[in-house]
Amino acid sequence: MSKYTKEDIKQIVNEKGVKYIRLQFTDILGTIKNVEIPLSQLDKALDNKMMFDGSSIEGFVRIEESDMYLKPDLDTFVIFPWTAEKGKVARLICDVANPDGTPFAGDPRSNLKRVLQNMEELGFTSFNLGPEPEFFLFKLNEKGEPTMELNDSGGYFDLAPTDLGENCRRDIVLELEEMGFEIEASHHEVAPGQHEIDFKYANAIEACDNIQTFKLVVKTIARKHGLHATFMPKPLFGVNGSGMHANLSLFSGDKNVFFDEDAELQLSETARQFMAGIMKHARGFTAVTNPLVNSYKRLVPGYEAPCYIAWSARNRSPLIRIPASRGLSTRIELRSVDPSANPYLAMAVLLESGLDGIRNGLTPPAAVDRNIYVMNAAELKENGIESLPGSLLEALSELEKDEVVKAALGEHIYSNYKEAKEIEFDMFRIAVHPWERDQYLQNY
């Protein structure tokens, strides 16, 4: 990413004819929020003097303490390419600050920076993430509302004419590249109407910013094609859901500390300890990495999504896979994360879980190199393989018991997040669903 000064931004804005600036931030549920300002307010924004009402944002503050400040990260400046015809709009991603200038404890981006400081205290300089977000494309009706009609019947790696989303996906890639993304792969996924676009790994903050930008671009360009893009984990029964596999690595300077040329699998002791920490806290952090009631419809056997806590370098049924690349590309791939997760919170809990493994010298169990989905209960027990939580309610219960994961969120985010998710589950619990009417209305 480019490094900008205030003067750089003001010059680009004038040269490119930018008319509006969006100051973006993310609430605790992962929703992108923004304050759009005219060019006349740019100096005020660049001087960190732009105020907003935090009491109206999910999980932020009470009305009597509502004044919050937006502090733009100048390196996130980008012009949205699709806005050119109506007066260009540029974007700055912001941290949220208290009136005294200190980081706001309820800001997911600032909270991730706090956890990254814990990493630096252990001698590491960068926590890198390479995300693999998947999404579905549904047709819009004549009112511009999403339908349940898919736009294609394609399958994994299919080409047009079967993959009717190809043009939309290509336009998404072109927009992303114009905004500075380095796209590594773009293809149709396993399920009809399902797609994946992978972009190059980056440090945790930049990668999370990229995920939020990616979601915005995908939804915006899909609508221009008469389609609705959704990152809902399991929109359809009977087909694969959408994941966001997270490729994780730790660096010290320019050295990937997960790589050890002389170790088994060339996987360093640090990598194994980090992985052991991830596995130890997997049940505790799942409420954050898989945050919706719907997330747990994806985490079931038979649809390529992991539901068992194990690791392997050879097969894709466990929670963690070790991709074959080595050297600077050595990484662990966590396969449970889904794209509805707030990326800043997800990376905070994953990093702190891994660091807990390093601090305590944890050792992961032996690799499981056979298909876990075909194991029976006795075999799972014999191999010491636990399951991920089976519902959001169970995941919230596990989160409540995990002090390391709670510390990664901080008290403010934890308490507000847990309350919001308990309300969400209770609304689901008391709702009457179509399945119930189909099963019971006529028979009883």
Side-chain angles (χ1 to χ4, degrees):
M1 255 184 158
S2 302
K3 301 297 180 184
Y4 294 110
T5 64
K6 294 179 185 179
E7 289 69 31
D8 291 335
I9 290 173
K10 287 190 278 190
Q11 182 179 342
I12 295 169
V13 160
N14 289 325
E15 288 177 353
K16 300 292 186 180
V18 173
K19 301 298 184 186
Y20 295 94
I21 308 289
R22 285 186 194 166
L23 304 178
Q24 289 185 353
F25 59 100
T26 299
D27 72 11
I28 65 168
L29 299 184
T31 305
I32 298 173
K33 303 292 184 179
N34 77 90
V35 176
E36 188 166 279
I37 61 171
L39 217 52
S40 60
Q41 298 296 303
L42 178 57
D43 282 332
K44 184 178 178 181
L46 294 177
D47 289 336
N48 302 328
K49 294 179 180 177
M50 191 58 62
M51 186 184 294
F52 74 102
D53 178 8
S55 66
S56 60
I57 306 299
E58 178 70 54
F60 269 35
V61 290
R62 298 182 297 271
I63 196 163
E64 63 270 19
E65 51 188 27
S66 59
D67 288 344
M68 312 249 77
Y69 284 88
L70 294 173
K71 299 179 67 173
D73 182 337
L74 303 187
D75 295 337
T76 65
F77 176 80
V78 70
I79 298 172
F80 291 138
W82 63 85
T83 63
E85 56 207 40
K86 296 183 180 178
K88 293 182 181 177
V89 178
R91 178 291 308 271
L92 285 162
I93 294 176
C94 302
D95 293 324
V96 181
N98 298 310
D100 64 0
T102 57
F104 170 50
D107 174 30
R109 194 173 190 267
S110 297
N111 180 71
L112 176 54
K113 289 183 176 182
R114 176 184 65 84
V115 178
L116 287 166
Q117 290 176 349
N118 297 340
M119 172 200 74
E120 290 168 3
E121 289 171 4
L122 291 177
F124 307 111
T125 56
S126 181
F127 175 49
N128 291 338
L129 162 66
E132 299 176 12
E134 298 169 340
F135 57 94
F136 278 85
L137 292 174
F138 290 94
K139 292 181 180 178
L140 296 173
N141 64 19
E142 62 278 1
K143 296 179 181 178
E145 300 166 334
T147 69
M148 291 309 295
E149 185 181 354
L150 294 166
N151 78 306
D152 69 55
S153 56
Y156 196 55
F157 275 38
D158 273 354
L159 298 172
T162 311
D163 176 10
L164 299 179
E166 186 175 358
N167 289 338
C168 176
R169 198 171 63 238
R170 184 183 296 116
D171 282 353
I172 291 169
V173 169
L174 290 172
E175 297 283 348
L176 290 169
E177 288 181 330
E178 192 168 339
M179 295 172 70
F181 279 68
E182 185 175 332
I183 304 300
E184 295 189 329
S186 164
H187 60 85
H188 199 288
E189 257 297 337
V190 175
Q194 188 184 32
H195 304 268
E196 178 179 319
I197 298 173
D198 302 334
F199 40 94
K200 188 177 181 180
Y201 76 88
N203 68 72
I205 293 291
E206 185 179 333
C208 291
D209 290 345
N210 287 343
I211 290 168
Q212 295 297 77
T213 301
F214 174 82
K215 290 180 180 179
L216 180 63
V217 172
V218 168
K219 286 181 173 289
T220 300
I221 303 306
R223 184 159 284 271
K224 288 180 177 292
H225 283 259
L227 300 168
H228 173 70
T230 181
F231 293 93
M232 180 180 177
K234 187 83 168 183
L236 298 170
F237 173 73
V239 299
N240 287 18
S242 290
M244 186 173 69
H245 298 168
N247 292 274
L248 309 174
S249 58
L250 274 178
F251 274 64
S252 181
D254 59 359
K255 178 187 177 186
N256 184 340
V257 298
F258 281 4
F259 175 64
D260 181 348
E261 190 173 7
D262 299 321
E264 183 183 1
L265 296 176
Q266 296 188 322
L267 207 59
S268 72
E269 190 67 23
T270 300
R272 292 174 183 274
Q273 292 169 348
F274 190 95
M275 182 166 62
I278 293 282
M279 295 176 70
K280 174 184 175 182
H281 296 288
R283 288 180 60 81
F285 63 59
T286 296
V288 180
T289 56
N290 306 83
L292 306 184
V293 166
N294 180 255
S295 296
Y296 298 84
K297 306 295 176 72
R298 170 180 167 260
L299 297 178
V300 294
Y303 296 100
E304 295 193 9
C307 44
Y308 300 111
I309 302 172
W311 74 278
S312 175
R314 295 182 188 159
N315 82 75
R316 296 170 184 260
S317 60
L319 176 68
I320 293 172
R321 184 176 77 96
I322 309 299
S325 300
R326 289 296 180 267
L328 290 177
S329 298
T330 307
R331 60 198 188 273
I332 70 171
E333 179 187 38
L334 181 67
R335 300 173 59 80
S336 61
V337 185
D338 75 50
S340 68
N342 180 328
Y344 303 102
L345 297 187
M347 289 308 106
V349 298
L350 294 179
L351 175 56
E352 195 58 55
S353 296
L355 293 180
D356 183 61
I358 293 171
R359 289 190 193 100
N360 293 291
L362 301 183
T363 302
V368 179
D369 294 328
R370 53 179 291 207
N371 187 351
I372 301 176
Y373 296 140
V374 301
M375 291 185 180
N376 58 36
E379 290 174 308
L380 290 171
K381 186 175 181 181
E382 182 183 332
N383 285 273
I385 300 173
E386 286 189 284
S387 297
L388 292 174
S391 70
L392 179 59
L393 184 65
E394 184 183 351
L396 290 169
S397 175
E398 292 295 323
L399 170 60
E400 188 174 17
K401 294 185 286 189
D402 195 316
E403 296 301 325
V404 169
V405 176
K406 285 160 64 175
L409 296 174
E411 176 54 35
H412 182 104
I413 291 177
Y414 166 70
S415 58
N416 283 276
Y417 183 86
K418 183 168 179 287
E419 180 183 15
K421 290 299 166 181
E422 286 173 340
I423 292 170
E424 179 181 335
F425 186 84
D426 207 49
M427 289 171 65
F428 168 74
R429 182 184 65 83
I430 64 177
V432 178
H433 302 279
W435 183 91
E436 297 171 89
R437 287 191 285 269
D438 292 343
Q439 294 292 318
Y440 307 135
L441 190 66
Q442 192 167 347
N443 292 339
Y444 296 92

